[in-house]
Each structure stands twice: as structure tokens, then as C-alpha cells.
Amino acid sequence: MQSEHQHLTAIDLDGYRQRKLDAAARQECDRHFAICEECLGRLLGDKQSRAVFSQLKEAFVSSDAEPFHLSLEELRSYATDTADEATRTICESHFEICPQCVRELKTFAPSRASAPLRGQAAAKPQYPGKWLPQAGRGPGLLTARRLAGVFSLAACLLLIWAAWRNVSSLQESAHSHRETSQIVVRLKDGTQEITLDRSGSLTGLEGLSQQAQAEVRDALATAELQRPQSIAGLSAPPIKLLGAPANAPPFDLVSPIATVVAEEQPTLRWKPLRGATSYTISVFDATFNQVAKSGAVSALEWSVPVPLQRGSTYSWQVTARRDHQQITVPSAPAPRAQFKLLNVEEIKQLNSAKEQAANSHLALGVLYARAGLLDEAEKQFQALVEQNPQSSVAGKLFQTVQSWRKK
């Protein structure tokens, strides 16, 4: 704390604002504000400080040298618990700065004097003498002027606190409004919140690499995703046969179709055909050589039993048996159901990125989409849409990935 000829430090003012100071330090700040309009202005602002300064000065700075002590009647009423609230407040405030009145109190009630309600009355604080009443025997009367000063002081301290709270509230409100007005995208994402402001600052995904953050930032800013080259050629329009009607397939394949997969032995899934008793699945490489075939299965999924070659493209069919019929999907003129495996380097990069973005639907969706893993990207963006049903950005990202299968 600074002397009377020095201004309060920034640490003093911050402690006062945050209400972190002890009673003695806070009282010393109050007294300094009474003689230093500049520091009061630093606390409240110039306009508010002028309204408070004159009242503080009148309350703290005595216009005469008359020493002040409590009267015998006041000491007796305090000691016997018969003092009214105003007298008790005045007594307890005075005990903090006047050891002499504490000693007088002992003649009436030793136990009360040993522990005044507002704290131990120890040695007198070393406040600047020109604005601290001097100790010593005086008339022992609480004059009307001094009583008015005490209540003026209380009112001024309340005014300082209220003014400070008002300034703080206005500043917090302005800051909050400024922050809100700058944010262009805000999304709930798992257990966290992701925001993007007008300057391009992304928050909530600080654990991602700089490259991954840049990709997420671009996706949020444009509500678009760049179609990965890895899925080029995996989807195609139906083959047109002269004179052949475009009939709907009797049942549908589910996944993987027109996508990249990470597993060397992916699981193939399809929908049931009414009345079918079994299904047979065949997998072909890019030159139409059969690389795997199942026996008759009754389930609606089957995992390829042999590892497929990374970086290669494959297609697959399901043949359903119903009565004496065999129905194969897809068959011409429908396009082939194709998928591609990630190569070795891509799988390493993906696994590293997944560790960084493990809890983020948004980040995982963007990373999966970049790698061409459309099934996984759809699942992540669908979860993001469910958490943010009103977000057009989340909806557009989800729809974009779905549209890639049709191109």
C-alpha cells in the first residue's frame, strides 16, 4: 500500500475491485480515495468520481483538530448490550482505530474488550496523520457533526461500491455483446462448444494440428467441403440399355458404396429381400477378378475373410436365394457397388488425427470427409446436426457428404 504522497498501485485497485483486500487494507484504500481524486477516478471513471469525492472528503477529513473518543454512556450501553444498532456500529468502527477506548471498555466489560465484534483492536494503523483523528483524551462526545460524518462515510462507501458494480456490469455487458456480435458460427460439439468469429479465430479445438484446424475453420466459414479425389470414379450413373426399363432393384445394398474404407477386411451390409432364405456375397478387384466369396449366409452382413490390398478399388455383389430363384444386386443397368481402401500413409495420418479429435463430431466429420470415408463422415455430421438442429452450417455439411455418392 502506498503512502499519502503516492498513488495507489494497479495491484491495490485490482484487489479493491475484486474485494480481495483484508479489512485494514480496504479501509486504507477508502481513506486514500478521500484525499486523492485521481485514484478515485482510476477506480470509477472521472464523471462518477467527482460525484463521490466531495462526500468522501467531508466524511474522512476533519476540519478541526478536536480528538474524538466514545462517551461513557456509549461505552456502557455497548458493554451491556443495550446500545441501538447505530451506536453499536459506531462503537465497533471506532474500536478498530482507538486502543484508548478499548481500554476504557475493559472497565465495563473485560470480555467484550478482549474481542470486539469487528476484529481485534490492536495497535493503531499508521494512516497519514492529517486525515486520521489523533488519539488522546478529548471531550468524549459523539457530536452531531461526527455522527453525520460516520453515516456520510457509510453512504459514500456504498455509493463507491454501487458505482463500481454499475461500471463493471456495463463493461461486462459491452464485452459480452462485442464477443457475441463477432461470432459467426457457434456449435455444440459433444461436451464442448466450438465458435468461429469474424476474424477467423477458431475456439474449442486447440488440440488439433494447425492443418486440421485450418480445414475445420474453412468448413465452418463456407459451410462447404471439398470433394476428395479418393472417391472419384467410385460412383457412376446407371448403365443405359436400349429397350430395357429402369426398374428399381428388388433389395438394396447398404455399405460400403462409393466410399473409402479404413479396414483391410471390411464388413459388407445389405437390406433383406422378402422371402429370401440365404445370401451369397462376392468381392471383385478392379479387373473384375473375384477375390473373395462367401457361402450361403442368413445374416444381413458379412466380413471379408482375407485382407484386401491397401490403396486398391473393389466392387461387390449380393445374390439372394428365394424359392428356386437367384437374384443378384447390383446388376446391369445399375452401377457397380465400389469401395476403395486407404493406403498405408493415409491410414497413419488418419489415426494420428483421430487421436487429436476423439471427442469432436465436427473435427472427425471433416477429417473423415477429407479422407473419403463417407460412412464415418455421415455418422459424425448426423450427430452434429442432432446436437444443433437449428444450425444451417451443420445441416449443409451433412447434406454435402450425402450428395457425393450421387456424383
Side-chain angles (χ1 to χ4, degrees):
M1 193 67 64
Q2 307 301 307
S3 72
E4 64 173 305
H5 300 299
Q6 295 176 305
H7 294 298
L8 295 175
T9 67
I11 295 176
D12 294 333
L13 291 173
D14 185 63
Y16 190 95
R17 290 189 188 98
Q18 301 296 327
R19 307 190 70 81
K20 295 178 180 178
L21 303 179
D22 58 28
R26 189 172 182 83
Q27 187 179 52
E28 188 170 352
C29 284
D30 291 334
R31 292 180 180 278
H32 184 82
F33 292 140
I35 63 170
C36 183
E37 187 172 2
E38 182 176 341
C39 284
L40 190 61
R42 290 165 60 199
L43 178 73
L44 300 177
D46 290 339
K47 292 183 179 179
Q48 292 172 322
S49 67
R50 293 191 190 102
V52 175
F53 182 69
S54 60
Q55 298 181 58
L56 274 177
K57 189 171 183 179
E58 181 180 353
F60 274 113
V61 182
S62 177
S63 61
D64 52 41
E66 176 186 324
F68 164 62
H69 295 290
L70 298 173
S71 68
L72 295 179
E73 181 181 352
E74 289 165 339
L75 290 169
R76 184 181 297 107
S77 63
Y78 179 82
T80 58
D81 284 330
T82 59
D84 57 27
E85 185 65 26
T87 301
R88 184 163 53 253
T89 300
I90 293 169
C91 289
E92 291 170 356
S93 298
H94 186 71
F95 288 145
E96 291 183 351
I97 62 172
C98 185
Q100 184 169 329
C101 284
V102 173
R103 289 194 296 271
E104 293 288 345
L105 180 62
K106 289 182 180 180
T107 63
F108 295 97
S111 62
R112 294 300 298 274
S114 63
L117 294 182
R118 297 204 352 166
Q120 295 290 341
K124 177 179 177 180
Q126 299 302 310
Y127 300 124
K130 76 173 190 176
W131 38 267
L132 178 65
Q134 298 296 313
R137 281 284 176 189
L141 296 176
L142 183 61
T143 65
R145 176 180 176 80
R146 293 193 178 280
L147 181 60
V150 171
F151 285 107
S152 177
L153 170 59
C156 288
L157 295 180
L158 181 60
L159 181 58
I160 287 179
W161 181 83
W164 168 72
R165 287 297 300 169
N166 183 51
V167 171
S168 297
S169 296
L170 289 175
Q171 291 175 340
E172 290 173 3
S173 176
H175 180 67
S176 176
H177 176 72
R178 186 162 58 250
E179 279 193 340
T180 301
S181 65
Q182 292 296 318
I183 293 175
V184 293
V185 180
R186 186 191 301 273
L187 293 173
K188 295 179 181 177
D189 188 10
T191 59
Q192 58 196 341
E193 182 178 78
I194 310 299
T195 63
L196 179 70
D197 65 21
R198 294 185 185 278
S199 68
S201 177
L202 178 69
T203 62
L205 294 173
E206 289 75 13
L208 291 181
S209 67
Q210 292 299 315
Q211 179 183 349
Q213 287 191 50
E215 292 177 1
V216 173
R217 186 183 301 111
D218 291 344
L220 292 180
T222 63
E224 295 178 356
L225 296 165
Q226 185 174 358
R227 191 170 188 263
Q229 289 297 319
S230 57
I231 63 172
L234 295 183
S235 59
I239 301 172
K240 294 183 179 180
L241 301 178
L242 294 177
N247 295 325
F251 66 100
D252 295 321
L253 305 187
V254 176
S255 66
I257 300 174
T259 186
V260 175
V261 299
E263 300 83 4
E264 291 181 324
Q265 296 175 245
T267 297
L268 314 180
R269 297 180 176 87
W270 58 94
K271 292 184 178 179
L273 171 68
R274 183 185 296 273
T277 56
S278 64
Y279 303 92
T280 303
I281 305 92
S282 300
V283 180
F284 305 89
D285 64 16
T287 57
F288 305 105
N289 294 313
Q290 182 174 287
V291 296
K293 184 176 181 178
S294 74
V297 298
S298 58
L300 299 177
E301 64 177 41
W302 176 73
S303 295
V304 179
V306 295
L308 302 179
Q309 185 176 353
R310 291 207 169 276
S312 297
T313 299
Y314 296 88
S315 61
W316 58 293
Q317 292 179 323
V318 176
T319 300
R321 184 176 183 83
R322 182 174 62 184
D323 297 329
H324 299 292
Q325 292 180 305
Q326 290 188 351
I327 304 170
T328 300
V329 172
S331 58
R336 289 181 294 161
Q338 299 184 96
F339 62 89
K340 182 178 181 180
L341 266 67
L342 284 179
N343 62 37
V344 175
E345 184 60 30
E346 289 171 336
I347 199 69
K348 289 180 180 179
Q349 295 176 359
L350 179 65
N351 290 337
S352 176
K354 284 169 61 177
E355 291 180 2
Q356 298 173 2
N359 298 319
S360 171
H361 298 304
L362 172 62
L364 285 173
V366 171
L367 294 172
Y368 285 140
R370 178 192 67 183
L373 289 105
L374 305 193
D375 291 344
E376 289 82 354
E378 278 191 26
K379 291 177 183 178
Q380 296 299 328
F381 285 133
Q382 183 174 11
L384 191 66
V385 169
E386 290 173 356
Q387 279 196 281
N388 303 272
Q390 304 301 320
S391 172
S392 61
V393 173
K396 288 179 180 179
L397 295 177
F398 179 46
Q399 293 167 8
T400 296
V401 174
Q402 289 182 311
S403 71
W404 288 345
R405 298 186 191 275
K406 303 173 184 178
K407 295 181 180 180

